[in-house]
């Protein structure tokens, strides 16, 4: 059965490789116009009526990213004398 172990293809991906795969999947489905469909797969499925570009994808990533906060103050350790 072809495609039975699709999860096993992405299982070893971790960290940066996984994020690259996710970004490629978003580009493939939301940005790239397919020759046979003449639209993106997302538009063909009826999920959106407008074409997205990578700037739109980056804007969505920026909105979802956590905002950087103040750095935590370090706890001062007592200085050991004579050690």
């Amino acid at each position: 059965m072809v495609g039975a172990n699709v999860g096993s293809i992405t299982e070893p991906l971790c960290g940066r490789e996984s994020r690259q795969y996710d970004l490629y999947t978003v580009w493939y489905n939301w940005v790239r116009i397919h020759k046979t469909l003449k639209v993106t797969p997302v538009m063909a499925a009826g999920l959106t009526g407008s074409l997205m570009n990578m700037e739109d994808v980056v804007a969505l990533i920026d909105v979802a990213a956590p905002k950087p906060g103040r750095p935590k103050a370090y706890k001062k350790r007592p200085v050991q004398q004579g050690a």
Side-chain angles (χ1 to χ4, degrees), residues 11-82:
E11 234 173 78
L13 297 177
C14 61
R16 184 176 59 190
E17 293 86 5
S18 177
R19 289 188 296 268
Q20 288 173 346
Y21 180 78
D22 294 340
L23 187 59
Y24 173 76
T25 303
V26 168
W27 171 80
Y28 187 84
N29 289 318
W30 289 82
V31 178
R32 182 178 183 263
I33 297 175
H34 294 248
K35 289 181 182 180
T36 56
L37 297 173
K38 308 287 191 240
V39 291
T40 65
V42 174
M43 291 172 71
L47 297 176
T48 184
S50 61
L51 182 64
M52 291 182 71
N53 58 21
M54 284 307 291
E55 292 163 352
D56 298 331
V57 174
V58 171
L60 291 173
I61 292 170
D62 287 342
V63 168
K67 303 294 181 221
R70 285 187 68 197
K72 295 181 181 178
Y74 293 103
K75 220 178 190 183
K76 292 185 179 181
R77 289 191 257 167
V79 178
Q80 295 179 352
Q81 297 292 330

